[in-house]
Amino acid sequence: MLTAARINVGLAARPVANTSSRRNVSAKAESRPIWYPGNEAEVPEYLDGTLAGDFGFDPLGLGSSPEQLAWNVQAELIHGRLAMTAVAGILYTSVAHSAGADVPEWYEAGKVYMDKNPEVSFGALVWTTIALSGWVEFKRLQDIRNPGSQGDGSFLGITDDFKGVSNGYPGGKYFDPMGLSRGDEAKYAEYKEKEVKNGRLAMVAFLGFAAQYAATGKGPIDNLAAHLADPAHANFVHNGVSVPFISN
C-alpha cells in the first residue's frame, strides 16, 4: 500500500507542462516552412523565421554571430538586387545582339566600351569604383551597427521623402513611389520575402551565365537557341568542358 501510494504521488507530482510545451514547439516548427522538412531539430536558434526568406538554412553557421548575421542579411539583399539588375540587362542585350542589333554581349561590353573610348583610363575606372563603393559600404556597415547614425535621410532640405524604412529598405516617394513599404504589414513582409527569393534565383542565374560563357563562349540566348535546336547534343554533357571525359 505504502509503495503504491508513493508511486501514485510520484506520478501525480510529475509535471505535464513539458509534454505540452514540446508539442507546442513541434507544432510551431512544423507550421514553418524550412529547407529540409522533418529536420526541424537542426534549424539554428538564431534563424527563428523572422527574417525575410529565412528557411533555417545555415549549415556553416555563418550567422551565429548577431553582428555577422546582420551584415550577411544586408549583403545578400544588396547582391540579390545587383544580380536581378545584371540578369535583366544580360538578357536584354543578349536578345538584342541575337536579333542583329549593334549591341555587344555582356561579356564583351567592357572591352567594346574601352575600345570606343581609348581616352578613358581603365585603372582610373577601377580605382574610382573601389573608392566610391568602399565609401558606401563603410557607411552601410556603420548604419547596420548603429541604425540611423548615418543621417536622417535629409537631402537638399528634403527629409521625409528620402527617409528609409529600415536598414536596406529605402522609403519615401522617391525610393518607394508605389508605396510598397506602406500600408498592410503582412503584404510588405510578403514583398520582402519575394525580393529575397528572386534575388537568390538571379544570383544562381548569373553564375549559370558565367559558366555557360566559360564552356561555350556564347551568351544565354544563343545557348538557349542551340539547345532547342539540338537538345540531345547542345547541353552541358557535350560542351566539352562541364564533363571533360565526354567529347562532342
Side-chain angles (χ1 to χ4, degrees):
M1 290 288 293
L2 184 57
T3 303
R6 287 176 179 170
I7 294 175
N8 290 335
V9 170
L11 291 175
R14 187 174 298 168
V16 295
N18 290 340
T19 303
S20 176
S21 176
R22 285 196 296 270
R23 287 175 180 173
N24 290 337
V25 171
S26 178
K28 184 177 179 181
E30 289 176 359
S31 64
R32 174 194 169 191
I34 62 172
W35 73 280
Y36 188 5
N39 201 35
E40 289 82 2
E42 301 300 324
V43 175
E45 293 182 358
Y46 51 85
L47 297 181
D48 55 5
T50 57
L51 296 173
D54 174 13
F55 295 96
F57 182 78
D58 188 15
L60 300 179
L62 300 179
S64 55
S65 165
E67 182 175 342
Q68 189 62 46
L69 177 61
W71 173 260
N72 290 344
V73 167
Q74 296 301 314
E76 180 184 42
L77 187 62
I78 296 301
H79 282 85
R81 290 170 178 170
L82 288 173
M84 286 188 283
T85 304
V87 167
I90 289 171
L91 290 176
Y92 171 77
T93 55
S94 188
V95 169
H97 181 80
S98 299
D102 186 20
V103 178
E105 284 279 13
W106 68 276
Y107 47 82
E108 297 175 335
K111 182 178 183 302
V112 170
Y113 175 82
M114 297 304 297
D115 290 344
K116 290 184 177 180
N117 300 273
E119 72 281 0
V120 177
S121 169
F122 179 74
L125 284 176
V126 171
W127 285 111
T128 300
T129 302
I130 292 175
L132 293 178
S133 298
W135 179 77
V136 171
E137 288 298 295
F138 177 78
K139 297 284 285 183
R140 191 158 63 88
L141 175 60
Q142 296 306 310
D143 197 49
I144 291 172
R145 290 176 172 174
N146 186 13
S149 64
Q150 302 306 298
D152 59 359
S154 60
F155 180 73
L156 298 178
I158 303 173
T159 301
D160 293 338
D161 290 336
F162 284 99
K163 194 170 185 179
V165 177
S166 60
N167 284 339
Y169 294 95
K173 66 180 181 181
Y174 296 110
F175 290 108
D176 185 17
M178 300 179 67
L180 300 180
S181 63
R182 300 185 292 274
D184 184 35
E185 287 294 329
K187 201 66 177 175
Y188 178 46
E190 180 185 342
Y191 290 146
K192 291 167 68 175
E193 181 163 328
K194 286 182 177 179
E195 180 184 37
V196 172
K197 287 181 177 179
N198 282 282
R200 291 168 179 170
L201 179 62
M203 287 187 281
V204 174
F206 180 78
L207 181 62
F209 292 165
Q212 279 186 325
Y213 170 67
T216 67
K218 299 178 182 179
I221 300 301
D222 286 342
N223 279 309
L224 177 61
H227 174 70
L228 293 176
D230 186 11
H233 296 91
N235 52 55
F236 80 98
V237 175
H238 294 91
N239 60 30
V241 177
S242 302
V243 187
F245 56 84
I246 298 181
S247 62
N248 293 327

